Amino acid sequence: MSKAARGFVPRSLLHLVLIAFTLVLLPLILLVIQNSRTLERVNRLAEEGVQSAVTDTRRASDMNDLALDMERTIRRYAVLESPELRLHYLRLLERYRKEMEPLLRGVDAGELDVALRDQLIELVDLAQASGAEIRARVEIFDAFNQANVELDRLAREQIDVRINRIREQVAEVRRRMWLLSGSLGGASLVLVLLFTYLIIRPVRQLERRIQGLGAGVDPDDRPIRGPAELVELGERLRWLHHRLRELEAQKLQFLRHLSHELKTPLASLREGADLLAEKVTGPLTVEQEEICELLVDNSYRLQGLIEQLLDYNRIQQVQVYHQPVELKPLLDESIEAHRLTLENKGMRVQLDLDDRQPLADNHRLRLVLENLISNAVNYGDESGEIRIYTRASEQEYVLSVANTGQPIPEADRERIFEPFVQGSQERKGVLKGSGIGLSIARESAISMGGHLTLDSTKTGWVRFELGLPVYESKEQINE
């Protein structure tokens, strides 16, 4: 693209579209005008050629007929010597001369032209002779008729030459017309591509900024070059990006303050509930024991929610460490934390681990495993099964956590990874979830350079796959 095209900044989108249509249509209009003129010229050449050919052919034929009439008339005059026949002969001679002059101007007769003119002089003198002299000199008509036949042949040959010349001219005009059509059509195509680029370029820039906005990437600082409306929209997107960053910072600050502020009264609440449950203040009735048990259970639930809020806040701020991690101890720890629930639901856990190690952050990987196993335990079927297995390739270490249970609806398969969003399925555990467990797991996986996806292709199973970089060497850790 030329510098002129890159430097062209239209005032508005409407202005750009109008210019585009005008400039694109201009070569086409010129093409129509030029083709009309070309067709008119071709038509004129054809008409002139046909008219000239018909006229010359008719004259040559008329001259042959006149020559025969002249011969018959002069022979009758030589016998009858009638003044009317002599006058008729002279009239025929004059008509012949009038037909001959324009024909000889259009036909290059050469020596034949001179011979015909000399013969006409003799034929004029013949009209002044007596009958005997005419009969003696009438043989002149043999040469005269032969000259007319030759002139007719010569005229037809030159007519064919002129027609061929006209055909060549028409072919040349047609070639030029096609050349001009191709040039102007190419110019229109170039203009179409140019204005398409001028319109699409800022739209693509806006598209990249919108994608960056959704991914949370810093916007490009380079201004959008294009129509004023699109430039203004780009500035609005930049403002929106900064505003969303401010709101995200405010949200994280709110979560941080809220979680810390809730921990102090929660500690007092748990301590009081534990003292009541231990009957430190005295014996309790059955109803009072049930109330104390309810207080203790809900205090633990509230503690779990606060810890999840702290984890969600921490994974977006704490530095990530990449190192080889032993997966078995982390899995055993997470499974042990849910042992009572597994026993109550009669669920079985099956492990099948690869010998290789993933490259991950120990704390974040623990968060991912805790949330995935908790999700499998609480949403799995009674007397069901949980399978945890890994596979490693040269590029990736994949851990799968699968449980038997109802499949997740199509509409919820991406929403369940959003913060504070729960699927439409009923949680089968004792406590109700907060809706940020899978969001914490995915954010942790992404921060470690991996990914977390849901696979619902196997009927009767719900499987989450965690992909992480595989540990290869010490140099990889340094990088």
Side-chain angles (χ1 to χ4, degrees), residues 110-338:
E111 295 180 356
L112 184 61
D113 185 354
V114 177
L116 281 171
R117 294 181 185 279
D118 292 341
Q119 289 173 355
L120 280 179
I121 295 173
E122 293 181 7
L123 292 176
V124 172
D125 294 340
L126 190 63
Q128 308 298 327
S130 62
E133 292 178 352
I134 293 174
R135 286 192 294 273
R137 297 171 55 189
V138 77
E139 289 80 7
I140 190 176
F141 278 99
D142 294 337
F144 182 66
N145 290 331
Q146 184 64 33
N148 280 285
V149 171
E150 182 65 19
L151 179 63
D152 183 33
R153 184 191 64 78
L154 188 61
R156 293 179 185 276
E157 289 180 354
Q158 295 192 11
I159 287 173
D160 292 338
V161 172
R162 288 203 301 268
I163 291 176
N164 290 332
R165 188 181 300 115
I166 291 174
R167 287 176 180 173
E168 293 176 357
Q169 291 177 352
V170 170
E172 178 65 19
V173 169
R174 183 172 56 187
R175 187 186 67 81
R176 291 180 181 178
M177 183 177 68
W178 280 111
L179 182 61
L180 180 62
S181 300
S183 301
L184 293 178
S188 296
L189 179 60
V190 170
L191 289 172
V192 168
L193 295 177
L194 171 63
F195 284 101
T196 300
Y197 169 78
L198 292 176
I199 294 175
I200 291 298
R201 177 185 59 177
V203 173
R204 292 285 173 81
Q205 291 177 340
L206 290 174
E207 181 183 3
R208 288 193 293 269
R209 291 196 178 183
I210 292 173
Q211 291 175 347
L213 186 65
V217 181
D218 289 336
D220 192 352
D221 292 333
R222 292 176 297 179
I224 291 179
R225 298 183 60 84
E229 296 91 337
L230 299 182
V231 174
E232 179 66 20
L233 183 57
E235 295 301 321
R236 292 290 183 180
L237 287 175
R238 187 195 302 272
W239 171 84
L240 179 60
H241 180 87
H242 292 304
R243 181 58 180 163
L244 290 177
R245 290 185 61 180
E246 293 175 0
L247 294 176
E248 183 69 18
Q250 293 175 6
K251 182 192 72 173
L252 295 177
Q253 185 179 9
F254 168 76
L255 293 176
R256 183 170 60 252
H257 290 170
L258 178 63
S259 57
H260 282 86
E261 291 296 328
L262 289 178
K263 290 184 68 176
T264 300
L266 176 62
S268 301
L269 178 61
R270 286 193 55 187
E271 184 178 356
D274 289 338
L275 291 176
L276 290 175
E278 292 172 4
K279 302 179 182 180
V280 175
T281 58
L284 301 176
T285 64
V286 177
E287 291 81 2
Q288 290 173 337
E289 289 182 356
E290 291 179 354
I291 295 175
C292 288
E293 184 179 354
L294 183 63
L295 288 173
V296 171
D297 290 342
N298 281 278
S299 64
Y300 276 104
R301 177 187 172 191
L302 182 58
Q303 180 181 1
L305 294 176
I306 293 174
E307 288 177 351
Q308 284 189 333
L309 288 174
L310 287 173
D311 290 337
Y312 183 76
N313 186 44
R314 187 182 301 114
I315 62 174
Q316 302 185 48
Q317 295 180 345
V318 179
Q319 181 181 357
V320 182
Y321 295 94
H322 292 88
Q323 57 188 2
V325 178
E326 282 288 345
L327 198 60
K328 185 67 165 57
L330 296 181
L331 287 172
D332 292 339
E333 180 182 341
S334 299
I335 293 172
E336 180 63 24
H338 296 85

Side-chain angles (χ1 to χ4, degrees), residues 40 70 238 392 436:
E40 183 180 354
M70 289 166 56
R238 187 195 302 272
I436 62 173

